[in-house]
Amino acid sequence: MNRLILNTSNGAYYQFNASNSLEQIAFPDEADIKDIFIVDHAVNIVSVVMPLKQDKQIEKALPFALEESISSDLEDTYIKYIGKKSDKAYAFIASKNLIGQFSKNDKIASVSYLPAFLPQTENGVTVVIIADTAMIHINKYMSFSIPVSMLEYSLASLTQDDESLKCIGICELTPNKKGEVDDLLLAQLQNLHLEITQLNPYAILDAINKVDTKKSTLLSGEFKRIQKKNTAKLNKFNGVVGLLITLLVITFLTAQIYKSQTDNKTTAIQAASVEFYKKLFPNEV
């Protein structure tokens, strides 16, 4: 199964090649089923204060609780509950139109939001750059995507609001960059006076490969992908079962016919013997 990275803003697909380097590709036409990982802000994580505690109750209440905090119409917004931390409930949101397009494509098995599943940097922020998009991951409840041009400003705001964030783990996955971050960008980030560590691209690849797409997929609710049965194998199996049943019925009927014929012959022999005995000994009957 292929795992593809997608930037919906420009329609660019990426895939790790045999040397584990990211390369831009066209959407493959072969029959392999694909897991899609969205990198841009077509998907977002939002939060709302939620007094409810049970997940089922929270899932039902979320659309109404989020109505005032999302910019799009509620009817056009896809919402998937992530979990609750302290007094806040967190959820993925996206356009229903976008998720609907994915759900209609039989070659797509799952769609996940990659920033939420990047490796976590202890006491810091994980940043992964692909082309003009920077993915930022603090934890599974706080992950988002921004243009690279806004990275310095966004990190400055984050670290100002949360003093526990003291370092940055950063990796450049843009094709032909070999994981190395642009020197000019590094110089800009050093103005934040945070410890900067360049992450190994293999760590990002490993994180992607470890994602349980059955749980992470946005193809849920009304867009849930129903796995189609292999009708060809099922029909073949049914044919074999039918043949076996037919053979059993024929065997049973043959045995019954043989038994009936044998009983009839036995009865006839017995009757003939009685008649023959009567003729030989007429006075004894």
Side-chain angles (χ1 to χ4, degrees):
M1 184 174 289
N2 295 328
R3 296 201 163 190
L4 306 181
I5 294 173
L6 169 64
N7 189 325
T8 65
S9 62
N10 57 16
Y13 281 94
Y14 302 88
Q15 185 177 37
F16 285 95
N17 56 27
S19 60
N20 292 326
S21 296
L22 200 68
E23 61 181 4
Q24 186 171 344
I25 61 171
F27 186 81
D29 292 328
E30 67 266 16
D32 292 346
I33 303 300
K34 300 151 190 73
D35 292 315
I36 304 297
F37 289 85
I38 294 176
V39 302
D40 60 285
H41 58 274
V43 181
N44 287 288
I45 296 177
V46 294
S47 64
V48 64
V49 175
M50 178 63 63
L52 301 175
K53 294 182 179 181
Q54 295 185 3
D55 287 345
K56 290 185 178 180
Q57 294 179 341
I58 293 174
E59 288 178 2
K60 291 180 180 179
L62 260 179
F64 306 101
L66 290 171
E67 188 171 9
E68 294 183 359
S69 59
I70 56 178
S71 57
S72 56
D73 291 337
L74 189 61
E75 294 180 356
D76 301 327
T77 304
Y78 167 85
I79 300 172
K80 180 181 178 179
Y81 175 57
I82 301 174
K84 188 177 180 183
K85 183 179 179 182
S86 299
D87 62 340
K88 288 187 176 181
Y90 295 81
F92 293 116
I93 63 169
S95 162
K96 280 188 176 181
N97 181 53
L98 175 67
I99 305 301
Q101 290 178 18
F102 288 124
S103 70
K104 293 175 183 177
N105 191 329
D106 292 336
K107 293 183 179 180
I108 295 177
S110 68
V111 178
S112 305
Y113 184 49
L114 184 53
F117 301 98
L118 293 175
Q120 190 163 344
T121 297
E122 187 176 359
N123 297 322
V125 182
T126 300
V127 178
V128 176
I129 299 170
I130 299 179
D132 297 327
T133 299
M135 295 178 283
I136 296 177
H137 176 95
I138 298 176
N139 55 54
K140 70 175 184 178
Y141 299 118
M142 192 170 184
S143 300
F144 55 95
S145 300
I146 56 171
V148 173
S149 59
M150 296 180 59
L151 183 58
E152 181 184 0
Y153 171 79
S154 297
L155 291 178
S157 178
L158 282 173
T159 54
Q160 185 176 356
D161 294 339
D162 187 349
E163 294 182 356
S164 67
L165 302 176
K166 301 183 181 299
C167 56
I168 302 171
I170 189 168
C171 181
E172 172 83 60
L173 287 184
T174 303
N176 301 320
K177 289 284 188 173
K178 299 181 180 180
E180 298 176 358
V181 181
D182 183 76
D183 290 339
L184 178 59
L185 179 59
L186 281 177
Q188 293 174 345
L189 297 181
Q190 286 171 354
N191 294 329
L192 301 174
H193 304 292
L194 299 173
E195 180 184 346
I196 300 176
T197 302
Q198 293 207 46
L199 302 175
N200 191 318
Y202 290 102
I204 311 303
L205 174 59
D206 186 57
I208 294 174
N209 288 333
K210 287 181 178 178
V211 175
D212 185 348
T213 55
K214 290 183 179 179
K215 294 181 179 179
S216 69
T217 184
L218 300 177
L219 298 181
S220 62
E222 62 183 288
F223 301 107
K224 186 175 182 179
R225 176 60 50 80
I226 299 175
Q227 188 173 5
K228 294 182 179 180
K229 295 181 180 179
N230 191 328
T231 54
K233 290 184 178 179
L234 188 60
N235 291 337
K236 184 177 180 180
F237 176 76
N238 288 340
V240 172
V241 172
L243 178 61
L244 288 174
I245 293 174
T246 301
L247 290 174
L248 287 173
V249 171
I250 292 173
T251 302
F252 175 77
L253 291 177
T254 301
Q256 289 298 106
I257 293 171
Y258 177 79
K259 182 177 182 301
S260 177
Q261 290 176 344
T262 302
D263 290 344
N264 290 339
K265 286 181 181 180
T266 301
T267 303
I269 291 172
Q270 290 176 345
S273 298
V274 172
E275 290 298 322
F276 183 71
Y277 184 85
K278 286 180 179 180
K279 289 180 180 180
L280 289 178
F281 309 100
N283 297 325
E284 294 187 12
V285 179

